[in-house]
Every structure is written in structure tokens, then in C-alpha cells.
Amino acid sequence: MDPDIPSLSSGSVGSRFVSQTELDVARQRREEQWKAAYARLGQDPPPQQQEEAFDGRSLAEVRAAKQEQWEERNKLGNQFRALEEDEVMFLDSIRERQLEEERKRKEEDGVELASFRECVRSNCEKHTSF
């Protein structure tokens, strides 16, 4: 065990805490040992992973922030709701009415077109004024 790094099992409560300078010194020593080991092998050390920055927020604050981000991403999905049964029935009745009107219009157009074609075949005098 490294004598420069205080142990958790050592005497008083105060010795269980490590200052930032002690952490920095230990980190620097580890990096030097890492580089020295690769230098002995004649290789360049691979890039080390960056340590995550310390986030001083409590776990509840972190969870609340993550929840807020999730809600923001899904905000658009929350704006829509399923149609209720009476709304569906109303929209169906409108669609049926529109389809019926379309069918009647096509039928009337067909009758008029047939009438016009019959007149053209028989040289109807009503339609010669066109």
C-alpha cells in the first residue's frame, strides 16, 4: 500500500478525508508511472480516459435534471392524446357524409355526361348552340 495516500482504516475521522492536492499528486504519480512503463516497452502510451468532472449536485437534483431533459425531449409527444369514442363517431359521420356527397356528384356527372353524349349522337338541337 502506498504510504503517501492515507488509509480509510487509519485512526481518526479526519484522516479518512483526502484533500484535492493529495488527489492531484497521486494522479500525477500514476501518470508518470504509466508513461515510464510504456517507455520501458518502447511504445507511446495510449490516450487516457478523461475523468468525469465532479458534479456537486445531490442525487435528487441529478435525477430531477435528467427527468426534465427527458420531458423536454418528449414534449411534442405529450401534446397529443387519443380520440374519445364520441369524437371518433363524429369524424366517421363527417367522412361518410363527404363520401355520400362525392358519390352523388359523380352519379349526377355521369347522368349529364350520358345525356350529352346521347344528344351529340342524335344531333340534338339544344346542344348545337355550344
Side-chain angles (χ1 to χ4, degrees):
M1 192 158 170
D2 195 350
D4 295 333
I5 300 176
S7 171
L8 290 178
S9 61
S10 61
S12 68
V13 174
S15 66
R16 292 183 184 176
F17 294 99
V18 181
S19 69
Q20 184 64 41
T21 28
E22 291 172 334
L23 289 174
D24 291 339
V25 168
R27 184 179 305 115
Q28 189 175 20
R29 188 177 312 118
R30 262 195 326 269
E31 287 176 9
E32 289 171 0
Q33 290 172 350
W34 180 262
K35 289 178 183 177
Y38 272 95
R40 285 191 300 270
L41 295 173
Q43 298 176 358
D44 290 332
Q48 294 182 353
Q49 293 179 345
Q50 296 293 328
E51 293 181 14
E52 293 182 22
F54 176 71
D55 188 3
R57 298 181 295 176
S58 69
L59 182 58
E61 291 171 332
V62 171
R63 284 185 178 169
K66 285 184 180 181
Q67 178 70 22
E68 188 175 309
Q69 288 174 348
W70 183 84
E71 287 173 358
E72 184 66 30
R73 281 194 314 265
N74 295 317
K75 186 189 222 180
L76 183 61
N78 294 338
Q79 292 178 355
F80 302 102
R81 62 172 177 76
L83 294 175
E84 295 177 7
E85 186 177 347
D86 58 338
E87 293 170 326
V88 171
M89 290 173 50
F90 172 73
L91 293 174
D92 283 344
S93 68
I94 290 177
R95 186 183 63 200
E96 288 173 6
R97 189 176 332 130
Q98 288 174 339
L99 290 173
E100 182 64 25
E101 289 172 2
E102 178 79 15
R103 187 189 62 74
K104 284 181 182 178
R105 187 184 54 76
K106 284 183 180 181
E107 186 178 309
E108 290 172 359
D109 288 349
V111 168
E112 288 181 18
L113 186 60
S115 172
F116 175 75
R117 286 182 180 159
E118 183 62 34
C119 281
V120 168
R121 266 190 244 133
S122 65
N123 281 329
C124 180
E125 293 184 9
K126 282 198 262 181
H127 295 294
T128 56
S129 62
F130 286 123

